[in-house]
Amino acid sequence: MPSKPESLPLNIGIDDASRAKIAEGLSRLLADTYTLYLKTHNFHWNVTGPMFQTLHLMFETQYTELALAVDLIAERIRALGYPAPGTYSEYAKLSSISETPGVPKATEMIRLLVEGQESVARTARSVFPVVDEVNDEPTADLLTQRMQVHEKTAWMLRSLLEE
């Protein structure tokens, strides 16, 4: 029977301490993204009122995009050699987005989702210093894409609240 191969050291040109810092930041981004996914999906299910059709479809588009994003973020954490967090308790500790109890009115849902989108953008932006310092272009690319999506989505949601 063949012996189990030794674990190969990870050598992608980023030192261990920097990879750990980046993975920690990406774990916070993953937690924020998943928490926003759950909030958006909840609002999709429970929205009512005159904007129902518009918001129901908009929220579906948004939670679908977030569902794809969590996979990309988790896979980057793994590529850096760290386990990706994947439990509600881990997300609750790591996320900057709080749960919303009950079922708010549609305009409050929109406001809360603007806050959530902007929170995720801030979390992504906060990871950039260490990423830039060690020339981690794949993570920089991921962060740039995430910030672009969240800032645009926040703008679109915010525009619904204007008179």
Side-chain angles (χ1 to χ4, degrees), residues 69-126:
V70 294
D71 203 48
L72 295 172
I73 298 164
E75 288 175 355
R76 184 63 191 153
I77 294 168
R78 295 296 299 135
L80 292 167
Y82 288 88
T87 66
Y88 289 123
S89 62
E90 289 173 300
Y91 293 155
K93 290 177 195 169
L94 292 168
S95 183
S96 66
I97 300 170
S98 59
E99 289 185 353
T100 301
V103 179
K105 298 284 185 197
T107 54
E108 180 65 5
M109 288 178 178
I110 296 167
R111 191 189 66 72
L112 289 165
L113 292 179
V114 168
E115 288 177 2
Q117 294 286 341
E118 290 177 347
S119 291
V120 180
R122 287 191 305 272
T123 299
R125 187 168 273 107
S126 75

Side-chain angles (χ1 to χ4, degrees), residues 9-44:
L10 184 59
N11 183 7
I12 59 172
I14 303 172
D15 64 88
D16 293 343
S18 296
R19 281 188 298 103
K21 285 181 192 174
I22 295 167
E24 185 275 328
L26 289 176
S27 293
R28 289 185 290 108
L29 181 63
L30 179 61
D32 276 358
T33 304
Y34 198 90
T35 303
L36 184 57
Y37 160 81
L38 187 61
K39 182 176 286 206
T40 306
H41 210 152
N42 176 28
F43 290 172
H44 164 79

